[in-house]
Amino acid sequence: GAVVSQHPSWVICKSGTSVKIECRSLDFQATTMFWYRQFPKQSLMLMATSNEGSKATYEQGVEKDKFLINHASLTLSTLTVTSAHPEDSSFYICSARGNGDYEQYFGPGTRLTVT
Amino acid sequence: GQNIDQPTEMTATEGAIVQINCTYQTSGFNGLFWYQQHAGEAPTFLSYNVLDGLEEKGRFSSFLSRSKGYSYLLLKELQMKDSASYLCAATDSNYQLIWGAGTKLIIKP
């Protein structure tokens, strides 16, 4: 089956610093990648959708200058949380979809804690 | 607007059967997913229905009625490990996933 990895699995950073999260499709080419955020006891919230080689499409209310998304290759997308604040602490999950595929394959998630 | 509704929480007994309902309203519709999510983990795929009817996969079955905008996930022979959140998600005309808030299923001995 299709495998998606995320790195790191958890990270603690200080307020004001930036954190980069990587999402990789290991055995397929991901033409589209999705970034989600999930707060405790809440459902997934789509942050942005990115297609390889083009700018990401952000959902309403998500600051594109704060959450930088790069999808430079068919197997890698990165999410950078810039100038992180404690309220950015959350579970960040990526998913990837191949060309013509209907299913999104999820990474294991990254738990970010900003102190 | 686009909307997915499912119950917030359900409780069932080990060994029993439980049905989790989901209703949806989307701009265009291509199919409906069910995912299982254990606490602190990413969602895992359970099923994808495109056509009307029931699809059975082991202890789990999923049903879809496109005309009614309705789906359910049926879990049989419940086990303690089935305690999790179950997420319903519909794909719109652009194959974007519209997520429900999830149903927390609590299994009691």
Side-chain angles (χ1 to χ4, degrees), chain A residues 15-102:
Chain A
S15 186
T17 61
S18 295
V19 174
K20 180 185 284 189
I21 302 170
E22 292 186 351
C23 177
R24 293 181 185 273
S25 57
L26 300 184
D27 53 2
F28 69 102
Q29 293 186 327
T31 50
T32 306
M33 285 188 168
F34 305 86
W35 286 96
Y36 293 88
R37 181 168 52 181
Q38 187 175 36
F39 293 106
K41 300 184 179 180
Q42 294 185 23
S43 189
L44 297 170
M45 290 176 53
L46 180 65
M47 299 175 67
T49 302
S50 72
N51 292 298
E52 184 264 340
S54 59
K55 290 183 179 180
T57 301
Y58 290 81
E59 295 298 302
Q60 194 172 9
V62 178
E63 300 173 56
K64 62 180 181 181
D65 294 330
K66 179 173 180 62
F67 298 98
L68 303 179
I69 292 172
N70 183 283
H71 189 173
S73 79
L74 286 172
T75 58
L76 173 64
S77 176
T78 60
L79 167 67
T80 302
V81 183
T82 62
S83 187
H85 290 283
E87 56 264 32
D88 297 325
S89 298
S90 187
F91 192 43
Y92 291 86
I93 307 172
C94 76
S95 68
R97 188 174 70 197
N99 190 30
D101 205 349
Y102 60 81

Side-chain angles (χ1 to χ4, degrees), chain A residues 34 36 38 42-44 46 49 59 91 93 97 101-109 111, chain B residues 33 35 37 39-45 48 87 91 94-97 99-102 104:
Chain A
F34 305 86
Y36 293 88
Q38 187 175 36
Q42 294 185 23
S43 189
L44 297 170
L46 180 65
T49 302
E59 295 298 302
F91 192 43
I93 307 172
R97 188 174 70 197
D101 205 349
Y102 60 81
E103 185 178 346
Q104 291 183 24
Y105 302 96
F106 284 87
R111 187 160 302 282
Chain B
F33 286 92
Y35 284 88
Q37 186 178 26
E41 299 180 11
T44 55
F45 172 82
Y48 180 55
L87 306 173
T91 50
N94 295 319
Y95 286 93
Q96 294 285 68
L97 279 175
W99 291 89
K104 182 179 180 181

Side-chain angles (χ1 to χ4, degrees), chain B residues 14-76:
Chain B
E14 190 177 14
I17 299 173
V18 70
Q19 177 175 312
I20 303 174
N21 296 324
C22 170
T23 58
Y24 62 88
Q25 291 178 308
T26 56
S27 53
F29 175 79
N30 280 299
L32 191 126
F33 286 92
W34 283 97
Y35 284 88
Q36 180 191 61
Q37 186 178 26
H38 285 99
E41 299 180 11
T44 55
F45 172 82
L46 289 178
S47 65
Y48 180 55
N49 291 65
V50 176
L51 302 176
D52 285 355
L54 183 69
E55 291 196 8
E56 299 184 65
K57 192 183 294 184
R59 294 190 299 116
F60 293 5
S61 302
S62 56
F63 172 84
L64 176 67
S65 169
R66 296 175 70 116
S67 61
K68 295 181 179 178
Y70 167 68
S71 173
Y72 68 73
L73 180 69
L74 189 71
L75 293 76
K76 301 177 184 177

